[in-house]
Amino acid sequence: MSDASIHSQAPEQEASFGDYFALLKPRVMSLVVFTAMVGLLAAPGGVHPYIAFCAILFIAVGGGASGALNMWYDSDIDQVMSRTKTRPIPSGKVTREEAFAIGMTLSVMSVIMLGLATNWMAAGLLAFTIFFYVVIYTMWLKRWTPQNIVIGGAAGAFPPMVGWAAVTGGISVESVLMFTLIFMWTPPHFWALCLFMKSDYKDAGVPMLHVTHGRAVTRNHILVYTLLLAGIAIGMAFTGVGGKIYLVTAVVLNALFVLGAIKIWRRSDEACEADDHKVEKRFFALSLMYLFLHFGAILAEAALAPYGLGGW
Amino acid sequence: MSFREEHELHKRRFGRNLGVALTLGAFVVLLLGLTVVKVTRGDFEPESVKVQTQ
């Protein structure tokens, strides 16, 4: 067989290493790494720095594995949506079977390794997170109910609980509150994105709230969830993970977030079209900063505690 | 025409193989480090030995 014939048999768009890495959704993984790290560092007690590093790495790999399994199952949807059609499977670089194999292998490996490195409670929580994201959210809720993102958001909220459990070996009020913060933050964050990307979900047949109930109802939901979130986020200041730094951060950010939600709630479709969803885009950008700074404040409280500056 | 002519496909495959090799190598080093930390901390010692050394 000549080189020329080998080339002609090879897939036209053969995957590079980067394409396989892209299956793990690196951007989502960065959020998982950050929140898991905060959960781990804010937990009472301590863990060897190398074991902490390994724990965060395995949590990140577990999160990435669930991303690969999500891409495996949702390749038909990804093919339709402009935001996702360049992903490795719809672009023809990676096959569905490869994505499934990578996702399953990394899922099992990350759970076992986290169990061996830390404890089996943390490993169990990581396994449940992967199960929740792949089976409950991707396979079931996403294509079935407009509340998909509300319940499915739990999957993205587990990493700080896993990080916390890696140190303490258990679940506590503080770790559940960190979970609740991300859980309540996800709907307004994602619905704001939907408001300026509406045609995509409609074409893919995903029953997002704005597709099934309209944009006005979505705006109402954003406001209600933002108000509930503000109560929880500020209330967290008076728990074990809070303190003065967190309180100031939470009050300022939640005031801005509620103000943004009210602005969105008062807008009409015409106003949105007129300025190309400027307010919604700004709210979405703020939501990213919102979560980062809240967890940053929790981290600051934990870091300053040994010097008598963190906490109350 | 040479049979050894470098094709873009070869470069991509080499990059992929190198990536897998480095990932596996890093995993082995990671496991070694984890083992060293666990053994030096006495994680694998029976409870009776831990009590004696305290």
Side-chain angles (χ1 to χ4, degrees), chain A residues 12-304:
Chain A
E12 208 164 288
Q13 287 183 304
E14 201 168 284
S16 64
F17 186 74
D19 293 318
Y20 290 111
F21 185 68
L23 282 176
L24 310 183
K25 297 192 178 180
R27 266 195 291 180
V28 178
M29 221 154 68
S30 64
L31 179 73
V32 170
V33 166
F34 180 63
T35 56
M37 188 182 75
V38 173
L40 190 139
L41 293 175
V47 66
H48 191 284
Y50 189 79
I51 290 179
F53 167 76
C54 288
I56 291 166
L57 182 72
F58 297 137
I59 295 169
V61 171
S66 62
L69 290 171
N70 169 274
M71 285 202 204
W72 157 71
Y73 194 82
D74 274 350
S75 58
D76 56 334
I77 293 177
D78 288 350
Q79 212 151 19
V80 180
M81 291 171 61
S82 61
R83 186 171 65 89
T84 53
K85 66 165 72 158
T86 54
R87 282 178 176 175
I89 299 176
S91 63
K93 290 175 179 169
V94 176
T95 64
R96 288 187 78 233
E97 291 73 23
E98 283 177 315
F100 179 75
I102 290 170
M104 286 303 289
T105 307
L106 291 181
S107 293
V108 173
M109 200 196 80
S110 61
V111 170
I112 292 174
M113 287 310 301
L114 184 65
L116 291 171
T118 60
N119 58 71
W120 294 103
M121 170 59 89
L125 278 173
L126 181 63
F128 184 71
T129 306
I130 297 169
F131 168 80
F132 199 94
Y133 186 64
V134 178
V135 178
I136 307 291
Y137 172 68
T138 306
M139 294 183 179
W140 181 34
L141 295 170
K142 189 173 176 177
R143 299 173 194 232
W144 176 61
T145 167
Q147 295 299 316
N148 49 16
I149 204 66
V150 178
I151 311 161
F158 277 115
M161 279 185 82
V162 183
W164 184 281
V167 178
T168 63
I171 297 167
S172 71
V173 179
E174 288 87 355
S175 74
V176 172
L177 280 170
M178 283 193 274
F179 167 90
T180 314
L181 185 70
I182 306 178
F183 180 71
M184 293 303 293
W185 164 87
T186 308
H189 161 78
F190 215 80
W191 282 329
L193 175 75
C194 292
L195 285 178
F196 56 89
M197 295 189 78
K198 71 168 180 177
S199 58
D200 263 343
Y201 288 107
K202 205 171 185 175
D203 296 344
V206 179
M208 294 303 290
L209 189 66
H210 66 287
V211 175
T212 58
H213 291 73
R215 296 160 66 81
V217 172
T218 308
R219 289 192 195 98
N220 293 343
H221 274 66
I222 289 177
L223 181 63
V224 172
Y225 273 90
T226 305
L227 289 171
L228 291 171
L229 172 67
I232 292 164
I234 295 171
M236 264 180 78
F238 305 101
T239 67
V241 290
K244 295 180 201 77
I245 301 165
Y246 177 87
L247 181 64
V248 173
T249 310
V251 168
V252 172
L253 283 170
N254 282 282
L256 291 171
F257 212 46
V258 169
L259 209 67
I262 292 171
K263 276 185 189 169
I264 288 178
W265 179 64
R266 293 174 68 177
R267 271 157 74 84
S268 64
D269 287 352
E270 292 75 28
C272 294
E273 295 294 332
D275 64 4
D276 192 25
H277 304 93
K278 200 174 168 185
V279 175
E280 288 77 11
K281 285 177 182 172
R282 203 181 298 158
F283 183 81
F284 179 75
L286 176 66
S287 73
L288 293 170
M289 196 55 80
Y290 177 98
L291 197 69
F292 176 75
L293 290 177
H294 269 84
F295 274 83
I298 295 171
L299 188 61
E301 295 286 358
L304 293 171

